[in-house]
Amino acid sequence: MIMKVLQFPLIKITGSFVLGIVVAHYTKPPFLLALIGLLTAFLFLGISYFFFQKNAQQKTSFGFLTLITSLLIGVFTLVINNETLRANHYTHQLLANTRTYNAEVIVKEKLKNTEKNDRYVANIIQLNEQKSYGKLIINIRKEKSVTAIEIGSHLKIKGSLYKNRAPNNPNQFDYRSYLENQQIYGQLYADANDIKIDPIVEKSLFYYANRLRNKIIYNLEKNHFSKSELSVVVALILGQQQDISPEIVRDYQYAGAVHVLSVSGLHVGFILLFISFLLKPLPNTKRALFIKLLITIVSLWAFGILAGLAPSVVRSVTMFSFVAVGMHLKRTLNIYNTLAVSAFVILLFQPSFLFDIGFQLSYAALFFIVWLQPLLSGIWKPKHTITSYLWDIITVSFAAQIGTFPMSIYYFHQFPGLFFVTNLVILPGMSLILGLGVIVMVLAAFDVVWMPLLKSLEWSVGLLNKIIAWVASFDDFILKDISLNSYLMWSCYLVIFCLIIWAKKPTYKKFTIGLCSVIIVQLFAFQAKYSNQNQSEFIVFSKKKNTIITERHGDKVTLYSNDSILQTSNTNLDLKSYLVANFCHINQKKSVRNIYYFNGKKIILVDSSSVCPSSVQPDIIILTNSPKINLDRILKNMKPKQIVADNSNFKTYIKTWKETCIKEKIPFHDTAEKGFYKL
């Protein structure tokens, strides 16, 4: 049955399905329209199948209708998975002038803590005595006496509930979109004293998985497993990254090995090989093979549940489950169909995974390993087994990096130049670490800790961390702050595809197409540069206790701020994100001044000195550092068209100014609430 399914043109169907999800993501069609479209497509598909299936010409129409139906299934799947369509979703119960709510929630997942808050993902079941629905993030302000909350706990909370906000500053990572792709639309902030924990705990699968993880970690900590090494082991095998130090994460990023810290196809592939090795002694009878398959799939999903069923875990376990079925059937399984099936199944249940960066990078890496690695491997045929093994590691690494290179630059604006050195060292060691780790974890789950194994694992991970830190120390090989927009990213992929197709079977026509793709990249690069040179903008950033203003003309930026910001501008993340995304650099650094002229507009800045030149009739007034002014009088005298208050002002002042502007019907922009202001 499975193999019959895999004989269908799944790649085309999956491609149409994915296109439908993308279309729905950007067009946001209403539920009724998506439903009518899908039912209409099914009607025409049924007519085509039952009345014209024997007509060769109509078979082409049937194929076309199949792809259209797949596209509309993708549209409908994304629409029905939008939880905000439910009438009792908490986003429909929030009031415009209310921030404090009484909520009842069930804790589902522990997140990485911030400096000020312990963070959890929870399902809301009641809001202000109303039945409610949806996922949100709970932020509990840290106190020394507060202990971790157990997964499955029922909490009654009184706190401040906010919808997710857009980025405060231009070109920052859009955390709102990231959360909403996971169906999380708000965050609740509360003090520990305002939380009541119900003694009744919801004992779901996640509850027992969390209890088991905690038990394993407790047994390892009790036997003095080094804290830094333990945090890496827990990330490698249990998929929990909450306790990894920022320094270790940075080292893995710079060394090109950050994928090791999140459970993905690399880890699940090793688990599959490990289970297959353990089951090898079983006979190859029909019944024994079925038992092997059952044990393998159950083990993979048990590992996935233990690792928290994160998107990377789900997609990897799903894909390798299909690989396990192919191994069981003893047939050559088309790996492209396997990728298509796994992607289709995952997106059918969680279509928002398509917009997860990890999902995109993972499938790009897997596709290029399958497609490009054989070509790279054929460049040289080593005679010795060890040399051949190392050469395979290098070619796999290069194939994966070539496949993810444009996407990595686009999302992260940096690239680790020594990635092949890192993978050459860590991939052989990963099999040892994962093997040891799984054995140690299983024994710890039964309260058994064998010190020789424990110390071997601790020493191996410690050595891995030292090697990663050593590779990451070569700063000159880490390419940072690389500017790349979406057009350049896709044109780079066009070049890569054209060149690989030519290299597999060189012809003059393919070579010409490859050269044309290079020209397309150059055209997009010229277009980006030309567009950038003809842009001018004036931006008031949102920065707590600070004033940051930039004036850009082309690729040259003038920065206005206080001395501390001017001196650290090269490392300021808000500024770096803006500069890299806009292909520009800081040309001048100046202290904040009181009068600006930009594109024919007069702009006055009023700071703590409260000096407001009355002789100037400004278009815009910027208020910074909480000036003690009578804004009502200023508005009547100067008649500005816009008031901007940055994030350096007291909240009480901002509230008063906002009320004054509303009364006088003058637009008011608070960067603390609305984010940056741009002309």
Side-chain angles (χ1 to χ4, degrees):
M1 179 67 182
I2 296 292
M3 291 306 296
K4 286 182 180 180
V5 171
L6 293 176
Q7 289 172 1
F8 290 152
L10 288 169
I11 295 172
K12 292 180 181 178
I13 291 173
T14 302
S16 296
F17 177 72
V18 168
L19 181 60
I21 293 174
V22 173
V23 169
H25 178 75
Y26 289 105
T27 60
K28 295 181 171 43
F31 172 81
L32 189 59
L33 180 62
L35 179 61
I36 292 172
L38 182 61
L39 292 177
T40 304
F42 272 125
L43 177 64
F44 280 103
L45 187 67
I47 292 172
S48 176
Y49 180 77
F50 285 109
F51 291 96
F52 305 110
Q53 59 180 324
K54 293 182 180 180
N55 188 319
Q57 292 181 346
Q58 294 299 330
K59 285 183 179 179
T60 304
S61 301
F62 177 75
F64 177 74
L65 284 171
T66 301
L67 296 181
I68 294 296
T69 304
S70 300
L71 185 144
L72 292 171
I73 290 173
V75 171
F76 187 71
T77 300
L78 187 69
V79 170
I80 62 170
N81 275 275
N82 183 356
E83 295 181 353
T84 59
L85 293 177
R86 294 182 59 157
N88 63 338
H89 194 273
Y90 67 88
T91 54
H92 306 309
Q93 299 168 344
L94 300 181
L95 304 175
N97 298 318
T98 304
R99 286 287 175 262
T100 303
Y101 294 86
N102 292 305
E104 188 174 339
V105 303
I106 301 174
V107 177
K108 288 297 181 184
E109 182 185 349
K110 178 74 177 75
L111 298 178
K112 191 177 181 68
N113 296 335
T114 63
E115 291 182 7
K116 296 181 180 179
N117 300 310
D118 293 327
R119 305 173 74 236
Y120 301 85
V121 175
N123 287 345
I124 188 166
I125 55 177
Q126 201 172 70
L127 187 68
N128 282 358
E129 310 303 325
Q130 285 184 291
K131 187 178 179 182
S132 193
Y133 177 82
K135 287 197 299 185
L136 46 69
I137 292 178
I138 307 295
N139 296 272
I140 304 172
R141 293 178 183 89
K142 286 185 177 179
E143 294 182 13
K144 292 182 180 179
S145 58
V146 176
T147 56
I149 296 173
E150 200 168 25
I151 302 300
S153 296
H154 282 246
L155 308 180
K156 291 183 178 179
I157 304 175
K158 182 180 181 181
S160 301
L161 180 56
Y162 300 89
K163 282 187 178 181
N164 298 331
R165 291 180 48 186
N168 280 336
N169 291 307
N171 308 113
Q172 279 186 330
F173 172 68
D174 194 345
Y175 191 54
R176 179 177 66 176
S177 296
Y178 171 78
L179 290 179
E180 290 180 358
N181 284 334
Q182 302 177 54
Q183 302 290 341
I184 298 172
Y185 294 90
Q187 298 199 46
L188 183 64
Y189 293 83
D191 293 319
N193 297 331
D194 294 324
I195 297 174
K196 293 181 180 179
I197 303 176
D198 196 305
I200 299 174
V201 177
E202 185 185 73
K203 295 184 178 180
S204 64
L205 196 61
F206 293 97
Y207 165 80
Y208 289 108
N210 184 65
R211 288 289 296 269
L212 183 58
R213 283 196 300 266
N214 290 340
K215 182 180 180 181
I216 291 169
I217 294 169
Y218 171 76
N219 284 330
L220 296 180
E221 287 178 337
K222 188 173 67 174
N223 287 274
H224 309 293
F225 200 111
S226 173
K227 188 175 180 180
S228 59
E229 278 75 21
L230 179 61
S231 65
V232 174
V233 171
V234 170
L236 284 172
I237 300 171
L238 300 182
Q240 306 300 303
Q241 303 178 44
Q242 295 93 332
D243 297 322
I244 301 181
S245 70
E247 292 76 21
I248 290 178
V249 173
R250 186 185 62 245
D251 285 345
Y252 275 77
Q253 286 175 338
Y254 288 172
V258 72
H259 58 282
V260 171
L261 294 178
S262 58
V263 176
S264 60
L266 175 67
H267 305 73
V268 179
F270 276 122
I271 296 295
L272 176 61
L273 293 175
F274 184 66
I275 295 168
S276 301
F277 174 75
L278 293 178
L279 297 176
K280 204 169 184 180
L282 290 177
N284 288 327
T285 62
K286 190 173 182 180
R287 184 177 180 182
L289 285 172
F290 177 76
I291 292 172
K292 279 185 180 181
L293 175 64
L294 188 62
I295 292 173
T296 300
I297 292 178
V298 169
S299 300
L300 289 177
W301 282 101
F303 173 75
I305 292 167
L306 190 63
L309 288 179
S312 60
V313 180
V314 171
R315 64 172 174 263
S316 301
V317 172
T318 302
M319 190 188 120
F320 280 99
S321 295
F322 280 96
V323 172
V325 171
M327 292 167 62
H328 166 70
L329 294 174
K330 297 289 184 182
R331 300 182 187 181
T332 303
L333 189 64
N334 188 320
I335 189 63
Y336 299 108
N337 279 340
T338 304
L339 290 173
V341 170
S342 62
F344 185 88
V345 171
I346 291 167
L347 295 175
L348 190 62
F349 292 97
Q350 290 289 347
S352 59
F353 279 6
L354 180 64
F355 308 101
D356 179 82
I357 297 172
F359 182 93
Q360 296 169 10
L361 290 172
S362 179
Y363 270 92
L366 287 169
F367 174 78
F368 274 87
I369 287 171
V370 172
W371 187 45
L372 179 58
Q373 193 271 339
L375 178 65
L376 297 177
S377 182
I379 295 173
W380 179 44
K381 295 290 185 182
K383 296 180 180 180
H384 301 290
T385 304
I386 296 176
T387 311
S388 178
Y389 176 67
L390 295 176
W391 176 240
D392 283 341
I393 290 174
I394 292 173
T395 54
V396 165
S397 299
F398 268 97
Q401 291 293 345
I402 289 170
T404 58
F405 175 77
M407 206 179 294
S408 298
I409 299 296
Y410 175 68
Y411 283 122
F412 308 114
H413 303 292
Q414 66 179 31
F415 188 78
L418 294 177
F419 68 88
F420 62 94
V421 175
T422 305
N423 289 328
L424 191 62
V425 174
I426 67 170
L427 288 183
M430 278 294 292
S431 56
L432 172 65
I433 291 172
L434 284 172
L436 277 174
V438 169
I439 294 171
V440 169
M441 298 286 180
V442 170
L443 291 176
F446 292 97
D447 297 318
V448 177
V449 177
W450 190 34
M451 292 308 293
L453 272 181
L454 185 75
K455 290 301 175 184
S456 297
L457 178 61
E458 183 181 11
W459 180 84
S460 301
V461 175
L463 180 61
L464 175 67
N465 287 345
K466 289 177 181 176
I467 293 172
I468 293 294
W470 174 72
V471 175
S473 66
F474 293 94
D475 289 338
D476 293 339
F477 290 94
I478 303 166
L479 308 177
K480 300 177 184 177
D481 302 333
I482 308 171
S483 299
L484 195 76
N485 59 28
S486 58
Y487 298 107
L488 283 171
M489 180 190 73
W490 288 115
S491 59
C492 285
Y493 271 117
L494 178 64
V495 170
I496 291 170
F497 272 93
C498 289
L499 292 180
I500 293 173
I501 291 170
W502 169 78
K504 281 181 173 286
K505 194 173 181 180
T507 64
Y508 177 76
K509 183 178 179 181
K510 291 177 182 177
F511 181 72
T512 304
I513 294 172
L515 289 179
C516 290
S517 67
V518 173
I519 294 172
I520 290 172
V521 172
Q522 293 175 328
L523 289 175
F524 276 122
F526 286 136
Q527 186 274 335
K529 187 173 180 62
Y530 176 79
S531 175
N532 181 65
Q533 289 294 335
N534 287 277
Q535 285 182 351
S536 297
E537 56 188 15
F538 184 93
I539 297 178
V540 180
F541 283 67
S542 178
K543 185 72 173 176
K544 283 187 177 181
K545 301 179 182 180
N546 285 287
T547 296
I548 300 178
I549 297 173
T550 59
E551 184 177 346
R552 178 168 77 89
H553 297 282
D555 61 351
K556 296 180 176 61
V557 174
T558 302
L559 171 63
Y560 301 95
S561 189
N562 53 45
D563 290 340
S564 62
I565 296 294
L566 295 177
Q567 291 170 6
T568 60
S569 60
N570 292 334
T571 57
N572 187 292
L573 296 179
D574 296 324
L575 288 170
K576 283 180 71 174
S577 298
Y578 172 68
L579 297 173
V580 171
N582 290 281
F583 301 83
C584 55
H585 63 276
I586 295 175
N587 186 48
Q588 297 183 71
K589 299 178 183 180
K590 298 180 179 180
S591 297
V592 175
R593 62 192 192 191
N594 293 110
I595 300 177
Y596 303 87
Y597 294 92
F598 180 79
N599 286 358
K601 294 184 182 293
K602 296 176 184 178
I603 304 167
I604 285 182
L605 184 143
V606 184
D607 57 18
S608 57
S609 65
S610 303
V611 175
C612 187
S614 57
S615 59
V616 179
Q617 294 293 314
D619 296 285
I620 300 168
I621 294 178
I622 302 173
L623 305 174
T624 72
N625 294 306
S626 307
K628 296 178 180 179
I629 57 172
N630 186 330
L631 185 59
D632 188 59
R633 185 189 303 160
I634 290 175
L635 295 180
K636 289 178 180 178
N637 292 337
M638 295 188 168
K639 295 181 172 46
K641 299 173 183 176
Q642 173 82 54
I643 300 295
V644 178
D646 75 4
N647 209 356
S648 65
N649 297 289
F650 296 139
K651 291 183 179 180
T652 52
Y653 283 30
I654 292 174
K655 184 179 179 182
T656 304
W657 296 334
K658 185 176 182 179
E659 291 171 353
T660 302
C661 287
I662 291 172
K663 185 180 69 175
E664 297 294 330
K665 297 181 180 180
I666 292 179
F668 180 80
H669 187 102
D670 171 20
T671 64
E673 179 186 356
K674 299 180 180 179
F676 65 96
Y677 175 79
K678 180 169 76 170
L679 279 174

